[in-house]
Amino acid sequence: MDECRDCSWYDEREYYRGKGYCSYYRDYYYPNSSACSHFQDKNYYSPCYITTIVCHKLGMDDDCNTLKKLRLLRDGVMQKDEKYAEVLKEYDVVGPEIAKSIEDDSDKDLCKKVYDGYLSKIVKKVESKDFLSAIVSYEQMTTLLATYYGVSLESANNIRNYDYTRGGHGKLYEKK
């Protein structure tokens, strides 16, 4: 039987009164609670292209400082403000395609260049709470990678009922 503690949305290091934090529902649950319909095995390979670049290609852990800061930017800033809905939607449309392209790319230096040229700088901006600048750099990185791999950014414009409060995971969610 699946339990919350085995879900990739669940963070057991972020405890409150014996409960871990679920980033899907943005609430705290006991680790032995029965998993919900959004259960995602911790061994699941995320379509997030940032995770692909950082974790898979550069050998960093999924809970490294870089990814924590990028998740903070997504969850704590972008998902809380509708003005970032288009950025999140665009990512959800092109992210999986870019991830697949990066995964198939044999250029070992590309990920290091993206990390050094964008991700590490975005993290510093998040740490200094310069969120707007971090988001602009994030958009530039996305555009660069989409152009490099020939991924169209235009298809994001056709999505009407997008739920930005859950966006930025490389998966489209609709408003209910």
Side-chain angles (χ1 to χ4, degrees):
M1 180 162 133
D2 295 324
E3 296 180 337
C4 286
R5 79 173 92 234
D6 301 319
C7 182
S8 63
W9 296 105
Y10 190 77
D11 188 351
E12 57 196 344
R13 292 160 304 174
E14 192 176 329
Y15 260 67
Y16 175 73
R17 296 185 177 181
K19 298 178 180 179
Y21 185 73
C22 173
S23 58
Y24 185 88
Y25 286 110
R26 296 188 196 146
D27 204 353
Y28 292 86
Y29 295 91
Y30 289 108
N32 61 347
S33 296
S34 294
C36 67
S37 61
H38 299 287
F39 177 82
Q40 183 172 281
D41 191 288
K42 284 189 178 185
N43 295 320
Y44 171 76
Y45 184 68
S46 170
C48 171
Y49 71 84
I50 294 171
T51 301
T52 302
I53 292 168
V54 176
C55 295
H56 187 74
K57 292 282 191 163
L58 297 178
M60 297 175 146
D61 290 331
D62 193 51
D63 66 347
C64 67
N65 184 59
T66 299
L67 290 175
K68 285 180 185 177
K69 296 301 179 186
L70 292 171
R71 289 178 186 133
L72 169 70
L73 180 65
R74 180 193 64 208
D75 299 345
V77 177
M78 297 174 76
Q79 288 180 342
K80 294 187 185 301
D81 193 332
E82 189 172 4
K83 70 182 175 190
Y84 300 119
E86 289 302 312
V87 177
L88 293 168
K89 180 170 58 171
E90 180 180 280
Y91 170 78
D92 286 336
V93 171
V94 301
E97 289 183 57
I98 294 172
K100 178 71 174 127
S101 297
I102 291 171
E103 185 64 25
D104 295 342
D105 196 323
S106 60
D107 182 358
K108 295 178 183 175
D109 293 329
L110 175 74
C111 291
K112 183 77 172 133
K113 289 175 187 172
V114 171
Y115 183 84
D116 292 342
Y118 287 95
L119 295 179
S120 64
K121 293 174 183 172
I122 293 169
V123 167
K124 288 178 183 169
K125 291 173 184 180
V126 171
E127 289 173 338
S128 66
K129 298 190 182 344
D130 184 4
F131 300 125
L132 182 58
S133 182
I135 292 165
V136 168
S137 294
Y138 185 86
E139 288 179 284
Q140 290 170 345
M141 179 187 71
T142 302
T143 301
L144 173 84
L145 290 169
T147 302
Y148 182 79
Y149 288 113
V151 175
S152 172
L153 300 174
E154 297 303 315
S155 57
N157 296 331
N158 300 326
I159 296 157
R160 301 279 178 249
N161 206 22
Y162 180 71
D163 184 359
Y164 73 91
T165 64
R166 295 170 55 202
H169 292 280
K171 180 178 179 182
L172 288 170
Y173 290 102
E174 291 189 30
K175 291 179 186 174
K176 298 203 180 205

